[in-house]
Amino acid sequence: MGLFPYVGVFFSRFVLFFDKIVALSLLPILFIAFGIDELSKIMLIVIGVTPTIILDTFNLTRSVPREQIVKAFTLGAGDFDVAYRVVLRQITPRVLNSIRLNLKAVMLFLFAGEMIASTTAWLTGSPCCAGTWEWM
Protein backbone atom coordinates (compact mmCIF):
# COMPACT_ATOMS: atom_id res chain seq x y z
CA MET A 1 0.00 0.00 0.00
CA GLY A 2 2.79 2.43 0.76
CA LEU A 3 4.84 1.68 -2.33
CA PHE A 4 1.95 1.61 -4.80
CA PRO A 5 -0.13 4.79 -4.31
CA TYR A 6 -3.29 3.62 -6.07
CA VAL A 7 -3.51 0.51 -3.92
CA GLY A 8 -2.90 2.64 -0.82
CA VAL A 9 -5.65 5.11 -1.70
CA PHE A 10 -8.15 2.31 -2.26
CA PHE A 11 -7.41 0.11 0.77
CA SER A 12 -6.32 2.62 3.43
CA ARG A 13 -9.88 3.79 4.16
CA PHE A 14 -11.12 0.24 4.73
CA VAL A 15 -8.20 -0.67 6.96
CA LEU A 16 -8.60 2.55 8.98
CA PHE A 17 -12.31 1.79 9.42
CA PHE A 18 -11.67 -1.73 10.70
CA ASP A 19 -8.83 -0.52 12.92
CA LYS A 20 -11.19 1.79 14.82
CA ILE A 21 -13.66 -1.00 15.66
CA VAL A 22 -13.11 -2.50 19.10
CA ALA A 23 -12.59 -6.19 18.42
CA LEU A 24 -14.09 -7.38 21.70
CA SER A 25 -17.39 -5.75 20.75
CA LEU A 26 -17.55 -8.12 17.76
CA LEU A 27 -17.21 -11.21 19.95
CA PRO A 28 -20.97 -11.99 20.19
CA ILE A 29 -21.30 -11.63 16.42
CA LEU A 30 -18.34 -13.95 15.91
CA PHE A 31 -19.86 -16.52 18.25
CA ILE A 32 -23.13 -16.39 16.29
CA ALA A 33 -21.37 -16.63 12.93
CA PHE A 34 -18.71 -19.23 13.77
CA GLY A 35 -20.00 -20.95 16.91
CA ILE A 36 -18.14 -21.36 20.19
CA ASP A 37 -15.32 -23.32 18.61
CA GLU A 38 -11.73 -22.29 18.07
CA LEU A 39 -12.52 -20.60 14.75
CA SER A 40 -14.35 -17.72 16.43
CA LYS A 41 -11.38 -17.08 18.71
CA ILE A 42 -8.98 -17.16 15.77
CA MET A 43 -11.19 -14.72 13.87
CA LEU A 44 -11.26 -12.43 16.92
CA ILE A 45 -7.46 -12.38 16.99
CA VAL A 46 -7.26 -11.79 13.23
CA ILE A 47 -9.85 -8.99 13.27
CA GLY A 48 -8.27 -7.37 16.32
CA VAL A 49 -4.61 -7.42 15.30
CA THR A 50 -4.41 -7.48 11.49
CA PRO A 51 -5.52 -3.86 10.80
CA THR A 52 -2.92 -2.54 13.24
CA ILE A 53 -0.13 -4.54 11.64
CA ILE A 54 -1.26 -3.49 8.13
CA LEU A 55 -1.29 0.20 9.09
CA ASP A 56 2.10 -0.06 10.75
CA THR A 57 3.53 -1.79 7.68
CA PHE A 58 2.00 0.92 5.49
CA ASN A 59 3.66 3.67 7.53
CA LEU A 60 6.98 1.82 7.59
CA THR A 61 6.87 1.46 3.81
CA ARG A 62 6.27 5.16 3.41
CA SER A 63 9.27 5.88 5.62
CA VAL A 64 11.73 4.20 3.22
CA PRO A 65 13.90 6.95 1.69
CA ARG A 66 12.64 7.97 -1.76
CA GLU A 67 16.21 8.28 -3.02
CA GLN A 68 16.80 4.54 -2.68
CA ILE A 69 13.62 3.73 -4.60
CA VAL A 70 14.56 6.16 -7.36
CA LYS A 71 18.07 4.67 -7.51
CA ALA A 72 16.64 1.17 -7.90
CA PHE A 73 14.37 2.31 -10.73
CA THR A 74 17.31 4.11 -12.36
CA LEU A 75 19.37 0.92 -12.28
CA GLY A 76 16.61 -0.92 -14.16
CA ALA A 77 14.61 -2.63 -11.41
CA GLY A 78 10.91 -3.26 -11.92
CA ASP A 79 8.11 -2.50 -9.47
CA PHE A 80 8.22 -5.86 -7.73
CA ASP A 81 12.02 -5.90 -7.69
CA VAL A 82 11.97 -2.60 -5.83
CA ALA A 83 9.27 -3.88 -3.48
CA TYR A 84 11.22 -7.03 -2.65
CA ARG A 85 14.87 -6.03 -2.87
CA VAL A 86 14.70 -2.51 -1.48
CA VAL A 87 11.57 -1.96 0.59
CA LEU A 88 10.85 -5.40 2.04
CA ARG A 89 14.41 -5.95 3.17
CA GLN A 90 14.41 -2.63 5.02
CA ILE A 91 11.06 -2.93 6.76
CA THR A 92 11.15 -6.64 7.73
CA PRO A 93 12.86 -6.15 11.13
CA ARG A 94 10.49 -3.33 12.05
CA VAL A 95 7.42 -5.32 10.95
CA LEU A 96 8.57 -8.22 13.13
CA ASN A 97 8.94 -5.75 16.00
CA SER A 98 5.39 -4.55 15.36
CA ILE A 99 4.12 -8.13 15.49
CA ARG A 100 6.05 -8.66 18.74
CA LEU A 101 4.41 -5.59 20.26
CA ASN A 102 0.96 -6.81 19.18
CA LEU A 103 1.35 -10.11 21.03
CA LYS A 104 -0.10 -8.41 24.11
CA ALA A 105 -3.33 -7.72 22.23
CA VAL A 106 -3.32 -11.26 20.84
CA MET A 107 -3.17 -12.71 24.34
CA LEU A 108 -5.91 -10.34 25.54
CA PHE A 109 -8.23 -11.45 22.73
CA LEU A 110 -7.39 -15.09 23.34
CA PHE A 111 -8.12 -14.87 27.07
CA ALA A 112 -11.35 -12.93 26.49
CA GLY A 113 -12.58 -15.46 23.96
CA GLU A 114 -11.70 -18.38 26.21
CA MET A 115 -13.36 -16.85 29.26
CA ILE A 116 -16.61 -16.09 27.48
CA ALA A 117 -16.76 -19.46 25.72
CA SER A 118 -15.89 -21.53 28.80
CA THR A 119 -18.40 -24.10 30.02
CA THR A 120 -16.99 -24.79 33.48
CA ALA A 121 -16.15 -22.50 36.36
CA TRP A 122 -12.51 -21.92 37.11
CA LEU A 123 -12.77 -22.20 40.88
CA THR A 124 -14.62 -25.47 41.41
CA GLY A 125 -14.93 -27.09 38.02
CA SER A 126 -18.71 -26.93 38.28
CA PRO A 127 -20.87 -25.75 35.36
CA CYS A 128 -20.88 -21.98 35.01
CA CYS A 129 -24.59 -21.34 35.33
CA ALA A 130 -25.30 -23.84 38.12
CA GLY A 131 -25.38 -21.15 40.78
CA THR A 132 -22.84 -22.82 43.07
CA TRP A 133 -19.83 -20.54 43.30
CA GLU A 134 -17.94 -22.12 46.17
CA TRP A 135 -14.29 -21.62 46.92
CA MET A 136 -12.09 -24.70 46.95
Side-chain angles (χ1 to χ4, degrees):
M1 276 185 351
L3 188 60
F4 305 109
Y6 295 116
V7 176
V9 166
F10 183 72
F11 284 114
S12 66
R13 301 288 181 208
F14 295 113
V15 175
L16 280 170
F17 173 75
F18 285 114
D19 188 46
K20 300 300 178 198
I21 296 174
V22 179
L24 289 177
S25 66
L26 296 176
L27 192 58
I29 298 170
L30 292 174
F31 282 153
I32 292 170
F34 299 111
I36 306 183
D37 282 338
E38 299 299 320
L39 182 62
S40 62
K41 297 168 196 137
I42 292 170
M43 290 304 297
L44 176 68
I45 292 170
V46 168
I47 289 171
V49 174
T50 303
T52 306
I53 294 173
I54 290 173
L55 286 175
D56 194 30
T57 306
F58 174 66
N59 289 331
L60 290 172
T61 305
R62 288 179 40 195
S63 71
V64 172
R66 254 355 236 175
E67 296 85 18
Q68 293 180 354
I69 295 172
V70 170
K71 280 182 189 177
F73 281 128
T74 303
L75 293 173
D79 288 339
F80 293 106
D81 290 332
V82 171
Y84 176 70
R85 295 177 186 231
V86 177
V87 176
L88 185 65
R89 291 188 181 185
Q90 288 187 21
I91 68 170
T92 300
R94 291 182 276 176
V95 169
L96 292 175
N97 189 33
S98 172
I99 292 170
R100 179 186 64 87
L101 292 174
N102 279 315
L103 286 177
K104 180 179 175 182
V106 167
M107 295 309 291
L108 173 78
F109 295 141
L110 178 66
F111 292 154
E114 287 290 337
M115 288 179 63
I116 291 175
S118 67
T119 57
T120 59
W122 178 70
L123 298 176
T124 62
S126 62
C128 280
C129 299
T132 58
W133 294 96
E134 301 172 6
W135 291 90
M136 294 181 99

